[in-house]
Amino acid sequence: TAQPAVTLQHGPPVGSESSHGSAGPLPTLDEVGGGLNTVKVSAKTNVKSIAGAISKALRGNEMIVATAYGQDGANHGMKSISIARCYLAAEGLDLSATVVEVQPDPAMTGPD
């Protein structure tokens, strides 16, 4: 049986150099996340709230994309995944996560 998955998206702040190197352009969020459910994570996001949203989606066998802005947002996203994993473990479920750096989204103007 397939395990639910969560993908954490992290793009560098607008105007900064990518850590991706010269291997070609970064994929866009749409290319990676498609039409999946999305939750935005910032440095001010409550990690337990995000963990609850991730857990709820995965209990329904849905995939979810957590979009983080900057290093602190990515840190909160990873904490949320760890907490969600604990929530799901109590029910005998597990999750897998993939972290992908994507092109900055112009709609995300920076940390709130």
Side-chain angles (χ1 to χ4, degrees), residues 13-110:
V14 176
S16 71
E17 289 297 319
S18 166
S19 62
H20 187 67
S22 61
L26 293 170
T28 65
L29 181 58
D30 285 339
E31 290 172 343
V32 176
L36 299 176
N37 293 333
T38 303
V39 61
K40 292 184 179 180
V41 182
S42 76
K44 296 181 180 182
T45 304
N46 181 314
V47 293
K48 289 184 178 180
S49 295
I50 298 300
I54 291 170
S55 298
K56 181 179 178 182
L58 297 181
R59 281 186 194 106
N61 274 335
E62 299 175 25
M63 292 180 70
I64 188 167
V65 175
T67 305
Y69 181 88
Q71 295 173 342
D72 292 337
N75 183 32
H76 274 75
M78 295 306 291
K79 287 178 185 178
S80 297
I81 291 170
S82 296
I83 294 168
R85 190 165 189 224
C86 292
Y87 291 166
L88 294 169
E91 301 170 31
L93 299 172
D94 200 1
L95 65 87
S96 64
T98 303
V99 179
V100 179
E101 183 177 10
V102 297
Q103 292 178 17
D105 183 351
M108 293 182 73
T109 58

